[in-house]
């Protein structure tokens, strides 16, 4: 069993930055992903990283602005978000034990953290 807890969300002005963290209990040998869900919209893929941190992938909408990384010693995955836009406003979820951009492929989920970007 893996438990995930996200932190680092909040209110930020457009153009600003936030760093989200996802602390995981249990094994660190999982592929991890970040997803987000805005009100009235489906949950969408943001980024993922493999178990070793050697491979990452991003949604086109965040490529060049967001960076996913992991610290296996701390069992923590990060999402550095720069140049934030209004359309980045959503609840951000951390997911574990999966890979790819389909949320159905991930077995474990955190409760989510709200990110609000104001213009």
């Amino acid at each position: 069993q893996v438990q995930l807890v996200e932190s680092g969300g909040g209110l930020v002005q457009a153009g600003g930055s936030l760093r989200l963290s996802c602390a995981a209990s249990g094994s660190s040998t999982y592929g991890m992903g970040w997803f987000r869900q805005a009100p009235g919209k489906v949950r969408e893929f943001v980024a993922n990283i493999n178990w070793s941190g050697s491979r990452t992938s991003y949604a086109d909408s965040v490529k060049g602005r967001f960076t996913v990384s992991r610290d296996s010693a701390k069992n923590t995955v990060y999402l550095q978000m720069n140049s934030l836009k209004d359309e980045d406003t959503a609840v951000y979820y951390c997911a574990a034990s999966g890979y790819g951009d389909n949320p159905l492929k991930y077995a474990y989920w955190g409760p989510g953290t709200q990110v609000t970007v104001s213009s």
Side-chain angles (χ1 to χ4, degrees), residues 3 13 15 18-19 22 24-25 38 40 42-43 49-50 55 62-63 66 68 72 76 80 90 102 106 111 113 115:
Q3 290 187 326
Q13 287 190 330
L18 281 176
R19 189 177 81 155
C22 174
S25 65
V42 299
R43 191 167 298 189
I49 187 166
N50 71 337
R55 285 196 305 167
V62 307
K63 204 170 290 184
F66 290 11
V68 61
S72 295
T76 300
Q80 178 66 44
N102 185 345
Y106 290 79
T113 185
V115 171

Side-chain angles (χ1 to χ4, degrees), residues 28-33 48-58 67-73 75-78 98-99:
S28 65
T29 58
Y30 288 120
M32 304 283 290
N48 61 26
I49 187 166
N50 71 337
W51 69 272
S52 67
S54 62
R55 285 196 305 167
T56 59
S57 65
Y58 299 91
T67 303
V68 61
S69 61
R70 70 188 302 162
D71 184 335
S72 295
N75 248 3
T76 300
V77 174
Y78 304 98
Y99 200 75

Side-chain angles (χ1 to χ4, degrees), residues 7-13 15-21 65-67 78-84 88 92 113-117:
S7 61
L11 175 64
V12 63
Q13 287 190 330
S17 298
L18 281 176
R19 189 177 81 155
L20 305 183
S21 299
R65 300 188 297 123
F66 290 11
T67 303
Y78 304 98
L79 184 68
Q80 178 66 44
M81 306 186 295
N82 299 328
S83 302
L84 283 161
D88 295 318
Y92 283 70
T113 185
Q114 176 70 46
V115 171
T116 303
V117 183

